[in-house]
Amino acid sequence: MANKTEVPPPEPPELEPEKVRQLIEYADKMTAFMEAEMELIHELGRASRRPI
């Protein structure tokens, strides 16, 4: 049973197909960048725990 106070999510704005493609491309590139950053942080953290 749905709660009567539930509000539906907002509708996305109307965008031209080219703009949507650009945003998806940007999101893909940002995801790859952030994954590489996290891997670097992981490797640096691992290196800092190695005995000297």
Side-chain angles (χ1 to χ4, degrees):
M1 184 171 174
N3 186 341
K4 292 183 191 242
T5 60
E6 286 182 12
V7 177
E11 291 294 319
E14 290 291 325
L15 296 173
E16 296 175 15
E18 181 57 31
K19 189 65 168 178
V20 172
R21 282 190 282 279
Q22 290 173 348
L23 289 170
I24 291 170
E25 181 181 350
Y26 169 77
D28 288 344
K29 289 178 180 178
M30 182 57 75
T31 299
F33 172 79
M34 293 175 73
E35 288 173 348
E37 290 283 303
M38 292 303 295
E39 181 62 27
L40 178 61
I41 290 167
H42 178 73
E43 290 297 322
L44 291 173
R46 184 182 303 159
S48 70
R49 292 189 301 262
R50 291 185 182 145
I52 298 175

